[in-house]
Amino acid sequence: MPEAVQKQVTATAPGPWPGTDALEAQRIIRGELGSPHLPFLAELPDRGVGSDPLGRTASLLVELAVDVQPHGWRLVDRPGKDQRRAASALASDINVLADVAGSEDTSAEALKIQLRGPMSLAAGLYLHNGERALLDFGARRDIVDSLAAGVADHVSRVRAAVPGSAVVVQLDEPDISAILAGTIATASGYRTLRAIPGEEVTSAWRTVIDALRAAGVAEVVVSVPEIEAPIQRILASGADGIAVPLKALTTRQWEQLAGAVEAGKTLWAGALPTDDPSAKLPRTADVVDCVWRPWRQLGLPPSSLGAVRVTPSDGLAGYSPSGAKEVLTRLTQLADGLNQLALG
């Protein structure tokens, strides 16, 4: 098993970042999240088509092509300008990362990249007939296999950009609760798609996670919303950890997360609320308490806080670059506060 559990609390962020300047983004992120924290390859959705999380991951698919229609990304017979634009933007971002990392006196020990998970990818891609790929079992299977086939080259390019740094992957599944509950709307909006069996979801994750491990990835975490978060399914997939916002977790979910920590998994705790970029960030002490209080109530020892990475509750694309930088600063302060408690 990868060495996933940190000896101290560290910080990272989901991936979406404001603006269109990849160079500025990487300089801020790597400046704020140096070792022992986890810098990440920023996503810049403000650049438009191809820089959105869905298109970015879709550009990695092997033997499946996509383009953009008024309703969203669609599976097509051959690659077009939209897919080429997405692939070009991602390649440019990796080149910028290489330049920034190469100019550092001391590079971070690891780097995180984000991918849209296979189930939310299937929910977001459309078939020729205008329906979601999620509707069709064969299409879902093809997307899982295609993504698993495409991650090796992507990971290889990222590793070449940051030689010596471990690569960590965050699989984003923002739609997973609706997928499992059968509440994803059809293209017409008049009905919903049938719920996808939990066993199929677990198998899809396992396929992609196995491919990432084979590509040399050090750690894979599945990121989900807190509402109906399928924690046990994530654990069954072989993921190294779970990324989840803390704001609405139930007692039952906290108990499941405690069990995961005791089993050696990591918890990426979305402790810092960032759903409203216009709101003032809470005091560090208050955010520390939202992790520390349930931790102690569950009977987890302070020393096990090393299993935690603290993150914002949401991506930071809605912030200004200076506001996003302030969020990263607050995260490292939060990690410091928790580390003091861990040391007793």
Side-chain angles (χ1 to χ4, degrees):
M1 174 182 169
E3 293 182 7
V5 177
Q6 300 85 24
K7 294 180 180 179
Q8 57 183 310
V9 181
T10 57
T12 192
W17 190 263
T20 60
D21 189 335
L23 180 60
E24 177 193 47
Q26 285 308 315
R27 283 175 172 165
I28 292 174
I29 291 165
R30 296 185 69 82
E32 294 296 318
L33 296 179
S35 292
H37 304 295
L38 183 62
F40 54 94
L41 181 63
E43 298 170 348
L44 301 169
D46 286 351
R47 292 187 303 198
V49 171
S51 292
D52 57 294
L54 187 74
R56 201 170 170 89
T57 300
S59 74
L60 303 177
L61 295 174
V62 172
E63 297 184 358
L64 287 179
V66 293
D67 70 5
V68 175
Q69 296 296 308
H71 52 270
W73 286 92
R74 180 186 66 167
L75 293 165
V76 292
D77 294 330
R78 61 185 63 85
K81 62 180 175 59
D82 298 317
Q83 184 168 349
R84 289 193 292 272
R85 181 178 176 182
S88 175
L90 182 53
S92 175
D93 287 350
I94 294 173
N95 289 337
V96 169
L97 169 67
D99 291 341
V100 174
S103 68
E104 295 169 343
D105 293 332
T106 304
S107 289
E109 296 175 357
L111 171 82
K112 177 174 71 71
I113 57 177
Q114 305 78 229
L115 298 173
R116 185 56 56 100
M119 303 313 299
S120 294
L121 192 60
L125 293 175
Y126 290 82
L127 303 171
H128 288 275
N129 63 8
E131 274 299 351
R132 296 177 188 272
L134 189 70
L135 177 71
D136 184 271
F137 174 77
R140 297 196 303 268
R141 180 191 57 211
D142 289 347
I143 288 169
V144 171
D145 291 343
S146 179
L147 180 59
V151 296
D153 181 61
H154 180 48
V155 170
S156 176
R157 286 184 289 144
V158 171
R159 292 178 73 183
V162 283
S165 292
V167 175
V168 176
V169 175
Q170 170 188 310
L171 283 179
D172 289 323
E173 289 283 9
D175 302 317
I176 195 61
S177 297
I179 290 168
L180 288 167
T183 58
I184 295 277
T186 59
S188 68
Y190 291 120
R191 61 186 180 89
T192 57
L193 300 181
R194 182 178 300 174
I196 304 302
E199 294 78 10
E200 183 183 335
V201 171
T202 303
S203 175
W205 287 340
R206 187 179 295 117
T207 297
V208 175
I209 289 169
D210 287 349
L212 288 166
R213 292 208 201 293
V217 163
E219 182 182 353
V220 184
V221 167
V222 179
S223 175
V224 295
E226 71 273 29
I227 305 302
E228 302 296 331
I231 294 169
Q232 296 303 328
R233 294 236 162 258
I234 295 172
L235 298 177
S237 73
D240 298 302
I242 300 160
V244 63
L246 301 187
K247 53 191 172 186
L249 285 180
T250 64
T251 300
R252 172 65 176 155
Q253 287 174 316
W254 267 111
E255 290 170 348
Q256 291 175 330
L257 292 172
V261 168
E262 290 173 337
K265 303 295 185 180
T266 55
L267 169 59
W268 290 22
L272 185 63
T274 50
D275 49 322
D276 181 5
S278 66
K280 184 177 180 180
L281 291 175
R283 295 188 316 130
T284 302
D286 293 337
V287 188
V288 166
D289 190 57
C290 83
V291 178
W292 177 242
R293 189 169 11 91
W295 204 264
R296 299 302 291 143
Q297 289 172 346
L298 290 163
L300 290 167
S303 59
S304 66
L305 279 169
V308 173
R309 274 197 175 108
V310 290
T311 77
S313 63
D314 297 276
L316 304 179
Y319 282 76
S320 65
S322 61
K325 179 179 179 180
E326 183 182 354
V327 169
L328 298 188
T329 301
R330 186 61 55 88
L331 284 173
T332 60
Q333 293 168 348
L334 170 57
D336 288 344
L338 288 167
N339 280 320
Q340 291 175 24
L341 292 171
L343 294 172

